[in-house]
Each structure stands twice: as structure tokens, then as C-alpha cells.
């Protein structure tokens, strides 16, 4: 077996409680041909010192210390210094499952033309109890259009791959050649936007095998854990992420193709999600909604979906009358 060099990039910020477990889960992998880039994003706890301690013991580990500017900035610094043929992202409070890296690398050899290699994950609660896991799935090969479409799909056998970075191997050559980086101004769905941009610049072959490779630890105090508690204006950046995704897809595909329609629908759904979230919490922000509506008009999004909604209502009334 010929080995593939991987750069594993982990942004680190105040996760001293989980960090050693995360790093050890990588050092204990059966696949060994990788470098581990730990980017300390201005941690105020012992996270930075923990990173330095591991780097002193293993030459594959490189540590970067920077001012706190957010996860996107930390990932970008990792990309600026990555030397591997493939890129893998992980979060500093999660773990890789035993054999996870080797499982992903095996798929590279199964399909040499693939630009994305994907696995599955297990989700655990704060008590360490397994909540869910992706079911084993026959190895599937997705071309570019289907790969993009999958980012918008829910409640399907493969819905668990959505926009998660930590399930994927990405070709570093594609990232560097097209200068792909994360947008620090987008704090929600910045990962899905990055993946969309990557797919649009790739040959578009994704190899999917949902055998779990990653241990995701759900925490109520994490960014994702706090998603449902209230309204955070950072949520609005997810609208702009979907807008950028739509724009990227529109540049890649003909204007009337179904994937462009899907991207428009995704943007419309996100606008309504924000609107309904505000309404449920009793927040009146007409300035924000007016601003988002202007962006919808700019992207020519909305009218067709309003018509669809009215047609559904009329159809329901008609069926009831019958």
C-alpha cells in the first residue's frame, strides 16, 4: 500500500478539558503518514501549553500560536502552512475513532480520481453516551452536481454529511491552486460554504462510505449546542453563507439547471428560518429583514417559492372541500 500524506488541521481555543484526548486519538491512529497542525487561537487556558507539550514529544506535530480571531482564521493559518497532499480538519473537543484515518485513505486507493473522500461519525452526549451513529452505507460515487445537492438535503440516508468538515479528506492542490480559504466574517455555515467552493473548483467526484471515522461530542456550551437556545445575530451570517453558495453554484452551472434552483431554495428557506426565529422570540427587527429581502431580490429568489406556498394552500383547501 502506498501511503498518502495528510495534513490534519485543528483550531484550538480554550478546550484544555478535551484537548489531550483529541490529540491522543490522532497519535493512536494505525495510519501514521500525516502531520498534525495545532493552531492555538489565543487560548486563555492551558490549551496552548498542552499543544506545545505534545509537539515536544512528536516531530509530526507543529504548533502555531496566534491572537484570537475565530475558527476560520485559525483554519486559514493551518492551510497556509499545510504540506500534505490531502487536508483533514478536526475539532479540538472531539476525537477520531480508531482506524478512522486508514478507513478514509483506503477509499483513495479504491477510486484514484476522487477529490473528496467521506466517512461517517458517532455522536455522543455530555455524559459520554452514544446518541446516534451513521449507518454503514454502500460505497457511493457522486459527481459534482450530486455532491453539491447533498449539502442541501435532509432526512436522507446520507444526510449526515451535509457541511461537516471533519468527515472529509480534501485535495490540498485544489485548495491552494484556487486560493480557497474560510471567510472570517461568516461564523455559521462557513464550513458548508468552503466545501461548496471546493466542489465547484474540483472534478466533482466524491466517494461516500458512512462507516464512522469520527467521534463528535455534543456540548450545550458549544456554538452548535447553543443553536436552539435563543437568537444570536451570528445566525444571520448563515444567510450570507448560503447566498455565497448560490452565487458560486450559479457561476459553475447553467442558470436554469436544477442545482441552481436548489441553491435558491436553500437561501429562501434560510431567510424564512431567520424570520420565524425572530417571530417566535418576539424580536421585531424590520431593518434586518428588509436588508435580507433586498439580497433575495438581488439573487432573484423568492417569487417562485411564494407561488408554490400559495398553490399548496389552495390544493389543501380543494382536497378538504372534496
Amino acid at each position: 500500500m502506498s501511503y498518502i500524506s495528510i495534513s490534519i488541521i485543528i483550531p484550538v481555543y480554550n478546550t484544555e478539558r478535551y484537548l489531550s484526548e483529541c490529540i491522543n486519538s490522532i497519535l493512536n491512529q494505525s495510519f501514521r503518514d500525516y502531520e498534525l497542525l495545532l493552531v492555538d487561537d489565543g487560548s486563555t487556558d492551558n490549551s496552548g501549553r498542552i499543544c506545545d507539550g505534545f509537539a515536544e514529544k512528536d516531530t509530526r506535530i507543529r504548533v502555531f500560536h496566534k491572537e484570537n480571531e475565530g475558527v476560520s482564521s485559525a483554519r486559514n493559518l493551518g492551510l497556509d502552512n499545510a504540506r500534505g497532499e490531502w487536508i483533514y480538519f478536526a475539532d479540538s473537543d472531539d476525537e477520531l475513532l480508531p482506524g478512522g484515518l486508514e478507513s478514509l485513505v483506503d477509499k483513495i486507493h479504491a477510486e484514484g480520481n476522487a477529490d473528496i473522500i467521506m466517512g461517517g461519525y458517532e455522536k455522543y452526549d455530555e455524559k459520554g453516551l452514544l446518541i446516534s451513529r451513521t449507518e454503514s452505507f454502500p460505497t457511493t460515487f457522486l459527481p459534482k452536481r450530486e455532491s453539491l445537492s447533498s449539502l442541501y438535503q435532509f432526512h436522507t440516508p446520507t444526510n449526515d454529511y451535509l457541511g461537516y468538515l471533519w468527515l472529509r479528506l480534501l485535495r490540498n492542490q485544489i485548495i491552494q491552486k484556487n486560493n480557497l480559504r474560510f471567510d472570517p466574517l461568516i461564523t455559521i455555515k462557513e464550513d458548508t460554504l468552503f466545501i461548496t467552493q471546493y466542489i465547484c473548483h474540483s472534478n466533482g467526484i466524491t466517494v461516500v462510505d458512512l462507516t464512522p471515522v469520527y467521534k463528535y461530542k455534543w456540548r450545550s456550551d458549544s456554538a452548535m449546542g447553543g443553536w436552539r437556545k435563543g437568537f444570536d445575530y451570528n445566525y444571520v451570517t448563515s444567510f450570507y453563507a448560503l447566498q455565497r453558495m448560490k452565487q458560486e453554484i450559479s457561476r459553475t452551472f447553467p442558470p436554469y439547471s436544477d442545482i441552481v434552483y436548489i441553491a435558491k431554495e436553500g437561501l429562501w428557506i434560510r431567510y424564512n428560518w431567520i424570520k420565524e426565529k425572530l417571530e417566535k422570540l418576539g424580536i421585531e427587527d424590520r431593518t434586518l429583514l428588509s436588508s435580507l429581502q433586498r439580497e433575495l431580490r438581488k439573487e432573484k429568489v423568492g417569487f417562485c417559492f411564494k407561488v408554490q406556498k400559495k398553490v399548496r394552500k389552495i390544493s389543501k383547501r380543494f382536497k378538504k372541500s372534496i
Side-chain angles (χ1 to χ4, degrees):
M1 175 181 178
S2 61
Y3 288 95
I4 307 297
S5 178
I6 299 173
S7 292
I8 302 171
I9 298 173
I10 302 182
V12 178
Y13 179 70
N14 289 355
T15 51
E16 61 179 0
R17 180 179 171 187
Y18 313 95
L19 185 56
S20 293
E21 289 180 344
C22 172
I23 296 173
N24 279 321
S25 75
I26 294 170
L27 297 179
N28 292 332
Q29 290 292 308
S30 53
F31 179 82
R32 312 288 293 172
D33 185 28
Y34 61 80
E35 63 171 357
L36 175 57
L37 280 62
L38 301 172
V39 185
D40 173 27
D41 188 37
S43 296
T44 56
D45 63 3
N46 289 315
S47 295
R49 286 185 284 275
I50 292 172
C51 291
D52 291 335
F54 274 98
E56 290 173 1
K57 299 175 184 177
D58 196 312
T59 57
R60 292 173 299 175
I61 300 176
R62 289 192 286 156
V63 180
F64 303 86
H65 298 282
K66 62 185 291 297
E67 294 181 3
N68 178 243
E69 296 175 294
V71 65
S72 290
S73 176
R75 288 174 181 150
N76 288 341
L77 181 58
L79 288 174
D80 291 342
N81 290 275
R83 299 177 297 201
E85 182 180 354
W86 293 84
I87 300 293
Y88 183 81
F89 293 99
D91 291 343
S92 61
D93 52 356
D94 295 331
E95 299 175 36
L96 267 73
L97 293 171
L101 278 182
E102 186 166 11
S103 175
L104 291 171
V105 170
D106 285 345
K107 302 301 179 297
I108 296 175
H109 296 280
E111 177 51 61
N113 294 323
D115 288 330
I116 301 177
I117 308 293
M118 288 205 40
Y121 73 102
E122 294 179 350
K123 181 178 180 180
Y124 290 79
D125 66 14
E126 293 174 293
K127 296 180 181 179
L129 299 176
L130 178 65
I131 300 173
S132 62
R133 76 192 303 268
T134 51
E135 298 180 5
S136 294
F137 193 78
T139 300
T140 303
F141 303 88
L142 298 180
K144 183 179 292 190
R145 196 211 71 84
E146 283 75 8
S147 296
L148 289 167
S149 177
S150 71
L151 298 176
Y152 294 90
Q153 291 176 4
F154 295 87
H155 309 302
T156 68
T158 56
N159 74 323
D160 284 304
Y161 51 99
L162 296 177
Y164 302 146
L165 282 170
W166 30 259
L167 299 181
R168 306 164 188 262
L169 282 178
L170 306 172
R171 287 189 187 274
N172 196 13
Q173 183 181 22
I174 293 174
I175 293 172
Q176 303 303 342
K177 179 181 178 182
N178 297 286
N179 194 30
L180 300 180
R181 293 297 186 268
F182 294 87
D183 186 342
L185 297 179
I186 294 178
T187 54
I188 304 292
K189 283 194 173 293
E190 80 291 340
D191 46 2
T192 314
L193 170 59
F194 180 85
I195 293 169
T196 298
Q197 293 170 323
Y198 176 92
I199 294 173
C200 286
H201 285 90
S202 73
N203 292 324
I205 300 297
T206 300
V207 176
V208 182
D209 178 348
L210 292 185
T211 301
V213 300
Y214 194 83
K215 183 177 181 180
Y216 168 57
K217 301 175 185 177
W218 183 88
R219 294 189 292 115
S220 59
D221 61 344
S222 68
M224 293 305 296
W227 179 265
R228 295 176 179 84
K229 289 184 177 180
F231 190 83
D232 183 335
Y233 275 84
N234 283 324
Y235 296 163
V236 179
T237 67
S238 65
F239 174 90
Y240 295 108
L242 283 156
Q243 182 180 31
R244 294 266 300 278
M245 287 164 61
K246 179 265 171 187
Q247 292 170 349
E248 192 73 50
I249 290 170
S250 296
R251 284 192 290 267
T252 307
F253 292 86
Y256 297 105
S257 62
D258 59 341
I259 185 59
V260 174
Y261 179 88
I262 290 170
K264 286 185 176 184
E265 185 176 34
L267 184 56
W268 174 252
I269 290 171
R270 178 56 43 166
Y271 163 76
N272 280 286
W273 183 90
I274 292 171
K275 182 172 177 285
E276 289 169 8
K277 188 83 170 176
L278 288 169
E279 290 173 351
K280 285 181 180 179
L281 294 171
I283 301 172
E284 187 173 340
D285 194 332
R286 294 181 180 178
T287 302
L288 170 62
L289 293 179
S290 295
S291 174
L292 298 182
Q293 287 166 7
R294 283 195 298 273
E295 297 303 316
L296 288 174
R297 288 193 293 271
K298 186 190 301 181
E299 302 299 336
K300 299 179 181 178
V301 173
F303 175 74
C304 56
F305 303 116
K306 287 180 181 178
V307 171
Q308 279 185 350
K309 195 172 182 180
K310 288 183 179 179
V311 169
R312 289 194 197 103
K313 284 184 178 180
I314 294 170
S315 177
K316 284 182 182 179
R317 288 173 187 168
F318 179 71
K319 287 178 182 178
K320 283 182 180 180
S321 66
I322 293 175

